[in-house]
Amino acid sequence: MNTSSANVRTMLRTYGKQLTNAKRLARFRQALGEARPLDEVDRQTKRRELVERIAREVIENLIVSSTPSPVVTAILDQIEGEFGYPFLFEYPVDGTDVIILRNTPGGPQEVTGPERNRVMRRLWEIALSKVDDTML
């Protein structure tokens, strides 16, 4: 197929005009009040999605950081208070799932099985709660 650059430019210019007109029309409709405002359910759904995204980010990146933020410190303190000992979360070099280590007087021990699932589930719940509480 042989197309000249003039034809491509004309086509792109036409698409650009259509896009500009569509944006103007959307702004005009919104100014007239035709745009449907978000109802309370939509707002709550969007907020919940944002809270979950931030909580996931906290768990995946900040929990293993060497300089924890106040939110991460609060989460780790609450986990320690509920389970009775501090945890250390580490990602192995090979990129597999997070390793949970329990600090005991005898040294660090890896948490596995049902207890690991319980700790991860509780970590998620606490992270959601803390992020939700700190969001405006």
Side-chain angles (χ1 to χ4, degrees):
M1 180 173 167
N2 223 355
T3 57
S4 69
S5 61
N7 288 342
V8 172
R9 278 195 302 264
T10 304
M11 180 187 66
L12 291 175
R13 191 177 312 119
T14 303
Y15 286 151
K17 287 178 183 178
Q18 289 174 349
L19 183 60
T20 302
N21 288 337
K23 286 179 183 178
R24 284 183 187 152
L25 186 57
R27 278 188 296 225
F28 180 69
R29 284 184 181 158
Q30 189 175 18
L32 289 177
E34 292 180 14
R36 182 180 67 91
L38 290 176
D39 63 353
E40 190 62 28
V41 174
D42 287 342
R43 283 191 184 121
Q44 290 299 327
T45 302
K46 286 185 185 264
R47 178 182 170 84
R48 182 70 179 177
E49 288 173 359
L50 182 61
V51 166
E52 287 178 0
R53 190 174 336 135
I54 294 171
R56 191 174 303 110
E57 184 77 19
V58 165
I59 290 173
E60 290 176 353
N61 296 322
L62 300 179
I63 288 292
V64 296
S65 173
S66 60
T67 55
S69 69
V71 173
V72 172
T73 303
I75 291 169
L76 293 175
D77 289 345
Q78 187 170 344
I79 286 252
E80 180 180 345
E82 290 182 14
F83 286 91
Y85 32 78
F87 289 103
L88 180 64
F89 299 88
E90 291 186 355
Y91 283 104
V93 177
D94 62 1
T96 57
D97 203 12
V98 67
I99 295 174
I100 304 173
L101 300 171
R102 173 181 41 225
N103 285 333
T104 63
Q109 296 177 342
E110 185 174 357
V111 178
T112 59
E115 184 180 11
R116 181 186 190 287
N117 294 338
R118 219 171 51 245
V119 170
M120 287 301 290
R121 183 174 44 254
R122 192 61 189 133
L123 176 67
W124 177 248
E125 292 167 355
I126 293 170
L128 280 176
S129 172
K130 294 293 181 189
V131 169
D132 193 31
D133 291 346
T134 57
M135 281 186 60
L136 298 176

